[in-house]
Amino acid sequence: MKLGFIGGGNMGGAIIGGIVNAGISAPSDITVSDLNTAALDNMKKRYNVQTVSDNKACALGADILFLCVKPQFLYDVIAEIKDSVSDNTLIVSIAAGQSIERITNAFGKSIKLVRVMPNTPALVGEGMSALAPNENVGESEKETLERIFSSFGKCSFVAENLMDAVTAVSGSSPAYVFMFIEAMADAAVIGGMPRAQAYTFAAQSVLGSAKMVLETGKHPGELKDMVCSPAGTTIDAVAALEKNGMRSAVIDAMLACMKKSKELG
Protein backbone atom coordinates (compact mmCIF):
# COMPACT_ATOMS: atom_id res chain seq x y z
CA MET A 1 0.00 0.00 0.00
CA LYS A 2 1.54 3.27 -1.17
CA LEU A 3 0.92 6.26 1.08
CA GLY A 4 1.53 9.92 0.26
CA PHE A 5 1.68 12.78 2.75
CA ILE A 6 1.56 16.37 1.58
CA GLY A 7 2.77 18.31 4.60
CA GLY A 8 5.53 17.20 6.92
CA GLY A 9 4.36 18.88 10.13
CA ASN A 10 3.58 17.47 13.56
CA MET A 11 0.24 15.87 12.71
CA GLY A 12 1.53 14.21 9.56
CA GLY A 13 4.44 12.91 11.60
CA ALA A 14 2.11 11.53 14.27
CA ILE A 15 0.10 9.64 11.64
CA ILE A 16 3.24 8.28 10.00
CA GLY A 17 4.65 7.25 13.37
CA GLY A 18 1.51 5.28 14.16
CA ILE A 19 1.50 3.60 10.76
CA VAL A 20 5.17 2.61 10.93
CA ASN A 21 5.07 1.45 14.55
CA ALA A 22 1.97 -0.68 13.88
CA GLY A 23 3.51 -2.21 10.76
CA ILE A 24 0.59 -1.06 8.59
CA SER A 25 2.91 0.11 5.84
CA ALA A 26 6.67 -0.05 5.34
CA PRO A 27 8.64 3.24 5.44
CA SER A 28 9.76 2.56 1.88
CA ASP A 29 6.10 2.76 0.78
CA ILE A 30 5.54 6.17 2.39
CA THR A 31 6.37 9.41 0.58
CA VAL A 32 6.27 12.85 2.19
CA SER A 33 6.38 16.17 0.34
CA ASP A 34 6.96 19.60 1.84
CA LEU A 35 8.57 22.85 0.76
CA ASN A 36 10.32 22.97 4.12
CA THR A 37 13.52 20.97 3.68
CA ALA A 38 14.12 20.88 7.43
CA ALA A 39 10.73 19.19 7.92
CA LEU A 40 11.58 16.64 5.24
CA ASP A 41 14.97 15.94 6.80
CA ASN A 42 13.24 15.37 10.14
CA MET A 43 10.77 12.92 8.58
CA LYS A 44 13.57 11.05 6.85
CA LYS A 45 15.62 10.84 10.04
CA ARG A 46 12.73 9.79 12.31
CA TYR A 47 10.88 7.34 10.09
CA ASN A 48 13.18 6.55 7.14
CA VAL A 49 10.39 7.44 4.69
CA GLN A 50 10.83 8.70 1.13
CA THR A 51 10.86 12.49 0.78
CA VAL A 52 10.26 14.82 -2.18
CA SER A 53 9.76 18.55 -2.65
CA ASP A 54 7.24 18.04 -5.48
CA ASN A 55 3.61 17.60 -4.38
CA LYS A 56 2.65 16.11 -7.76
CA ALA A 57 5.27 13.41 -7.39
CA CYS A 58 3.92 12.61 -3.93
CA ALA A 59 0.37 12.31 -5.24
CA LEU A 60 1.24 10.11 -8.23
CA GLY A 61 0.70 6.43 -7.47
CA ALA A 62 -0.53 6.96 -3.90
CA ASP A 63 -3.22 4.52 -2.77
CA ILE A 64 -4.01 6.88 0.11
CA LEU A 65 -3.07 10.55 -0.05
CA PHE A 66 -3.06 12.55 3.20
CA LEU A 67 -3.48 16.30 2.85
CA CYS A 68 -1.81 17.48 6.06
CA VAL A 69 -1.78 21.19 5.31
CA LYS A 70 -3.45 24.17 6.96
CA PRO A 71 -6.78 25.37 5.51
CA GLN A 72 -5.25 28.51 4.00
CA PHE A 73 -2.91 26.38 1.87
CA LEU A 74 -5.27 23.50 1.07
CA TYR A 75 -6.80 24.79 -2.14
CA ASP A 76 -3.50 25.87 -3.68
CA VAL A 77 -2.25 22.34 -3.06
CA ILE A 78 -5.38 20.80 -4.59
CA ALA A 79 -5.08 23.01 -7.69
CA GLU A 80 -1.50 21.78 -8.04
CA ILE A 81 -2.16 18.05 -7.65
CA LYS A 82 -5.72 17.44 -8.88
CA ASP A 83 -4.64 16.19 -12.31
CA SER A 84 -2.06 13.88 -10.73
CA VAL A 85 -4.49 12.09 -8.40
CA SER A 86 -5.90 8.78 -9.62
CA ASP A 87 -9.65 8.14 -9.47
CA ASN A 88 -8.85 5.20 -7.18
CA THR A 89 -6.81 7.24 -4.72
CA LEU A 90 -8.36 7.64 -1.28
CA ILE A 91 -7.87 11.25 -0.17
CA VAL A 92 -7.70 12.13 3.51
CA SER A 93 -7.99 15.79 4.52
CA ILE A 94 -7.18 16.99 8.03
CA ALA A 95 -7.78 20.67 7.22
CA ALA A 96 -10.03 22.16 9.90
CA GLY A 97 -13.42 23.48 8.84
CA GLN A 98 -13.14 22.46 5.17
CA SER A 99 -16.20 20.56 4.03
CA ILE A 100 -16.34 17.47 1.85
CA GLU A 101 -18.39 19.43 -0.70
CA ARG A 102 -15.91 22.28 -0.94
CA ILE A 103 -12.89 19.97 -1.24
CA THR A 104 -14.65 17.84 -3.88
CA ASN A 105 -15.53 20.96 -5.89
CA ALA A 106 -11.90 22.04 -5.77
CA PHE A 107 -10.84 18.73 -7.33
CA GLY A 108 -13.52 19.19 -9.99
CA LYS A 109 -14.41 15.51 -10.16
CA SER A 110 -15.80 12.63 -8.14
CA ILE A 111 -13.24 11.50 -5.56
CA LYS A 112 -12.92 9.15 -2.62
CA LEU A 113 -12.61 11.57 0.28
CA VAL A 114 -12.47 11.34 4.05
CA ARG A 115 -12.54 14.43 6.21
CA VAL A 116 -10.65 13.85 9.46
CA MET A 117 -10.29 15.86 12.66
CA PRO A 118 -7.40 14.52 14.77
CA ASN A 119 -5.95 16.26 17.82
CA THR A 120 -2.51 16.98 19.23
CA PRO A 121 -2.39 14.11 21.78
CA ALA A 122 -1.78 12.01 18.66
CA LEU A 123 1.83 13.15 19.11
CA VAL A 124 2.08 10.92 22.20
CA GLY A 125 -0.04 8.06 20.86
CA GLU A 126 -3.24 9.15 22.60
CA GLY A 127 -5.08 10.99 19.86
CA MET A 128 -8.82 11.16 19.24
CA SER A 129 -9.75 11.29 15.56
CA ALA A 130 -13.16 11.74 13.94
CA LEU A 131 -13.56 10.38 10.40
CA ALA A 132 -16.30 11.50 8.00
CA PRO A 133 -16.12 9.65 4.64
CA ASN A 134 -18.05 10.54 1.52
CA GLU A 135 -20.30 8.05 -0.27
CA ASN A 136 -17.48 6.82 -2.56
CA VAL A 137 -15.44 5.30 0.29
CA GLY A 138 -15.93 1.53 0.56
CA GLU A 139 -16.10 -0.67 3.64
CA SER A 140 -12.62 -2.14 3.15
CA GLU A 141 -11.20 1.37 2.86
CA LYS A 142 -12.99 2.37 6.07
CA GLU A 143 -11.41 -0.63 7.80
CA THR A 144 -7.97 0.47 6.60
CA LEU A 145 -8.58 3.99 7.85
CA GLU A 146 -9.71 2.66 11.21
CA ARG A 147 -6.47 0.67 11.51
CA ILE A 148 -4.42 3.74 10.64
CA PHE A 149 -6.11 6.19 13.00
CA SER A 150 -6.31 3.64 15.82
CA SER A 151 -2.53 3.22 15.63
CA PHE A 152 -1.97 6.47 17.54
CA GLY A 153 -5.04 6.66 19.78
CA LYS A 154 -8.76 6.20 19.28
CA CYS A 155 -10.98 7.00 16.30
CA SER A 156 -14.65 7.01 15.43
CA PHE A 157 -16.69 7.50 12.27
CA VAL A 158 -19.13 10.42 12.46
CA ALA A 159 -21.57 12.19 10.18
CA GLU A 160 -20.01 15.29 8.67
CA ASN A 161 -22.59 17.56 10.31
CA LEU A 162 -21.01 16.65 13.67
CA MET A 163 -17.56 17.94 12.71
CA ASP A 164 -18.05 21.35 14.35
CA ALA A 165 -18.96 19.59 17.61
CA VAL A 166 -15.93 17.30 17.16
CA THR A 167 -13.69 20.36 16.76
CA ALA A 168 -14.92 21.68 20.11
CA VAL A 169 -14.96 18.43 22.09
CA SER A 170 -11.67 16.92 20.90
CA GLY A 171 -9.89 19.01 18.27
CA SER A 172 -9.51 22.15 20.38
CA SER A 173 -10.17 20.72 23.83
CA PRO A 174 -6.54 19.86 24.68
CA ALA A 175 -6.06 23.61 25.10
CA TYR A 176 -8.83 23.74 27.72
CA VAL A 177 -7.31 20.78 29.54
CA PHE A 178 -3.86 22.37 29.52
CA MET A 179 -5.35 25.51 31.07
CA PHE A 180 -7.02 23.38 33.75
CA ILE A 181 -3.74 21.60 34.53
CA GLU A 182 -1.91 24.94 34.68
CA ALA A 183 -4.51 26.41 37.04
CA MET A 184 -4.37 23.39 39.36
CA ALA A 185 -0.58 23.58 39.40
CA ASP A 186 -0.70 27.31 40.19
CA ALA A 187 -2.88 26.59 43.21
CA ALA A 188 -0.53 23.82 44.35
CA VAL A 189 2.36 26.28 44.10
CA ILE A 190 0.40 28.69 46.30
CA GLY A 191 0.15 25.78 48.74
CA GLY A 192 3.95 25.42 48.73
CA MET A 193 4.57 22.69 46.15
CA PRO A 194 7.48 23.17 43.71
CA ARG A 195 6.15 24.01 40.23
CA ALA A 196 7.61 21.07 38.33
CA GLN A 197 6.19 18.68 40.90
CA ALA A 198 2.83 20.48 40.79
CA TYR A 199 2.58 19.97 37.02
CA THR A 200 3.29 16.26 37.45
CA PHE A 201 0.63 15.85 40.14
CA ALA A 202 -1.97 17.80 38.17
CA ALA A 203 -1.28 16.16 34.80
CA GLN A 204 -1.20 12.62 36.19
CA SER A 205 -4.50 13.25 38.00
CA VAL A 206 -6.12 14.37 34.73
CA LEU A 207 -4.65 11.38 32.88
CA GLY A 208 -5.84 8.91 35.50
CA SER A 209 -9.30 10.46 35.73
CA ALA A 210 -9.76 10.29 31.96
CA LYS A 211 -8.65 6.67 31.98
CA MET A 212 -11.25 5.87 34.65
CA VAL A 213 -14.01 7.32 32.44
CA LEU A 214 -12.86 5.27 29.44
CA GLU A 215 -12.14 1.99 31.22
CA THR A 216 -14.90 1.78 33.85
CA GLY A 217 -17.75 2.94 31.62
CA LYS A 218 -19.18 4.81 34.59
CA HIS A 219 -20.87 8.19 34.18
CA PRO A 220 -18.46 11.05 35.00
CA GLY A 221 -20.95 12.27 37.61
CA GLU A 222 -20.87 8.89 39.35
CA LEU A 223 -17.07 8.94 39.40
CA LYS A 224 -17.17 12.46 40.83
CA ASP A 225 -19.54 11.32 43.57
CA MET A 226 -17.13 8.51 44.48
CA VAL A 227 -14.50 11.13 45.37
CA CYS A 228 -16.87 13.41 47.31
CA SER A 229 -17.03 12.12 50.89
CA PRO A 230 -19.67 13.61 53.22
CA ALA A 231 -18.38 16.80 54.85
CA GLY A 232 -15.04 16.23 53.10
CA THR A 233 -12.59 18.43 51.24
CA THR A 234 -13.65 17.48 47.70
CA ILE A 235 -17.29 18.49 47.99
CA ASP A 236 -16.22 21.94 49.17
CA ALA A 237 -13.98 22.23 46.10
CA VAL A 238 -16.83 21.07 43.83
CA ALA A 239 -19.15 23.63 45.42
CA ALA A 240 -16.62 26.40 44.71
CA LEU A 241 -16.34 25.29 41.07
CA GLU A 242 -20.12 25.30 40.70
CA LYS A 243 -20.38 28.74 42.34
CA ASN A 244 -17.88 30.13 39.85
CA GLY A 245 -19.64 28.61 36.83
CA MET A 246 -17.12 25.99 35.73
CA ARG A 247 -19.63 23.98 33.71
CA SER A 248 -21.19 26.98 32.00
CA ALA A 249 -17.73 28.42 31.22
CA VAL A 250 -16.70 25.17 29.51
CA ILE A 251 -19.98 24.97 27.58
CA ASP A 252 -19.68 28.61 26.47
CA ALA A 253 -16.10 28.01 25.34
CA MET A 254 -17.12 24.98 23.28
CA LEU A 255 -20.06 26.81 21.70
CA ALA A 256 -17.69 29.63 20.71
CA CYS A 257 -15.37 27.02 19.20
CA MET A 258 -18.22 25.44 17.21
CA LYS A 259 -19.28 28.86 15.93
CA LYS A 260 -15.78 29.62 14.69
CA SER A 261 -15.52 26.18 13.09
CA LYS A 262 -18.74 26.82 11.14
CA GLU A 263 -17.38 30.18 9.95
CA LEU A 264 -14.20 28.53 8.59
CA GLY A 265 -16.28 26.41 6.21
Side-chain angles (χ1 to χ4, degrees):
M1 182 170 58
K2 300 290 186 181
L3 306 180
F5 285 79
I6 297 180
N10 287 334
M11 194 55 66
I15 298 170
I16 291 170
I19 289 169
V20 171
N21 292 335
I24 295 170
S25 192
S28 59
D29 289 329
I30 301 172
T31 301
V32 182
S33 67
D34 201 301
L35 295 178
N36 186 334
T37 56
L40 290 181
D41 290 343
N42 180 55
M43 287 290 181
K44 182 72 173 178
K45 182 178 180 180
R46 290 182 66 187
Y47 305 113
N48 199 31
V49 296
Q50 311 305 304
T51 59
V52 294
S53 57
D54 184 349
N55 291 335
K56 293 180 182 178
C58 183
L60 281 170
D63 296 308
I64 305 178
L65 180 64
F66 295 82
L67 303 180
C68 301
V69 296
K70 296 184 183 301
Q72 60 265 37
F73 305 125
L74 178 64
Y75 298 100
D76 287 340
V77 167
I78 291 174
E80 181 185 358
I81 67 168
K82 62 182 182 179
D83 294 330
S84 302
V85 174
S86 164
D87 291 343
N88 292 321
T89 298
L90 177 59
I91 300 166
V92 178
S93 169
I94 68 169
Q98 306 309 299
S99 69
I100 288 173
E101 181 181 13
R102 187 175 178 188
I103 294 171
T104 301
N105 289 342
F107 273 94
K109 61 182 179 181
S110 179
I111 56 174
K112 297 179 179 182
L113 175 63
V114 183
R115 181 180 168 189
V116 178
M117 172 57 68
N119 64 6
T120 55
L123 298 171
V124 292
E126 292 292 349
M128 183 68 226
S129 302
L131 289 69
N134 71 1
E135 66 279 2
N136 297 329
V137 179
E139 289 304 316
S140 64
E141 291 164 321
K142 290 178 185 177
E143 290 173 5
T144 298
L145 288 167
E146 190 168 20
R147 285 181 62 211
I148 289 173
F149 284 93
S150 295
S151 69
F152 52 89
K154 296 183 182 297
C155 71
S156 183
F157 287 95
V158 301
E160 190 186 14
N161 63 5
L162 293 178
M163 274 300 192
D164 296 320
V166 165
T167 299
V169 76
S170 64
S172 297
S173 65
Y176 329 150
V177 177
F178 296 144
M179 291 175 70
F180 181 55
I181 290 170
E182 186 179 30
M184 287 201 299
D186 284 346
V189 170
I190 292 172
M193 183 177 284
R195 181 161 293 278
Q197 190 176 42
Y199 283 139
T200 299
F201 271 78
Q204 180 61 33
S205 294
V206 170
L207 175 65
S209 301
K211 194 169 183 178
M212 286 183 72
V213 172
L214 292 172
E215 294 191 1
T216 67
K218 293 181 182 295
H219 190 283
E222 182 181 355
L223 294 171
K224 177 212 68 179
D225 289 349
M226 288 167 57
V227 189
C228 294
S229 302
T233 58
T234 308
I235 193 62
D236 279 7
V238 168
L241 290 171
E242 295 287 15
K243 180 180 178 181
N244 287 284
M246 178 185 178
R247 293 174 196 255
S248 59
V250 172
I251 291 169
D252 286 348
M254 290 184 59
L255 291 175
C257 187
M258 290 182 212
K259 181 176 181 291
K260 182 67 173 187
S261 179
K262 285 182 172 69
E263 291 171 355
L264 289 175

